[in-house]
Amino acid sequence: MSKILLHLDTDTSIKALQTALVNRGHDVTRTPNDWMALDASNETQLLESTNQQRCIFTFNIRDFLVLAQRYPNHYGVVLASQNSWSLSDLIAALDCMLTETQAVDLIGQVRWLNQWKR
């Protein structure tokens, strides 16, 4: 079983979020980086995350629900409503997801981060 590799899309690309998760031992990237331009489209972000075998986390619910159906071979799309989360709650829920869930469990899946909210 392998651990989830996570990518924070443009909407969730909070440096403090990435740093907190990396400091907890998780493999987390964010837009921008060496394989993802800052101005990458949502479609590009999903496809490049998939190429990197990474689950993507986003607040962009509407677009990513459509993209996840269009490209069903992704490594997971995790959605959250931006106004419902503080930074500390995001860190806790994502840490829980990354600790308790195997990568294989998210392949082709769309999940709500609320599932891991404590």
Side-chain angles (χ1 to χ4, degrees), residues 36-98:
M36 184 77 69
L38 178 60
D39 62 350
S41 69
N42 292 327
E43 183 175 40
T44 297
Q45 290 185 84
L46 180 61
L47 293 174
E48 290 303 315
S49 294
T50 299
N51 287 340
Q52 298 288 323
Q53 299 182 351
R54 290 183 177 276
C55 171
I56 193 165
F57 172 58
T58 186
F59 294 133
N60 191 336
I61 297 164
R62 184 176 0 144
D63 289 351
F64 277 88
L65 282 173
V66 171
L67 289 168
Q69 288 183 330
R70 187 178 302 155
Y71 303 104
N73 295 323
H74 56 79
Y75 278 77
V77 174
V78 177
L79 305 168
S81 176
Q82 186 170 7
N83 297 332
S84 303
W85 294 86
S86 67
L87 179 59
S88 61
D89 288 341
L90 283 174
I91 292 166
L94 287 167
D95 180 49
C96 182
M97 178 191 83
L98 293 165

Side-chain angles (χ1 to χ4, degrees), residues 2-6 26-27 55 75 97-98 101-103 106:
S2 61
K3 294 181 94 177
I4 296 170
L5 307 178
L6 184 65
H26 304 297
D27 186 332
C55 171
Y75 278 77
M97 178 191 83
L98 293 165
T101 310
Q102 296 296 315
L106 291 181

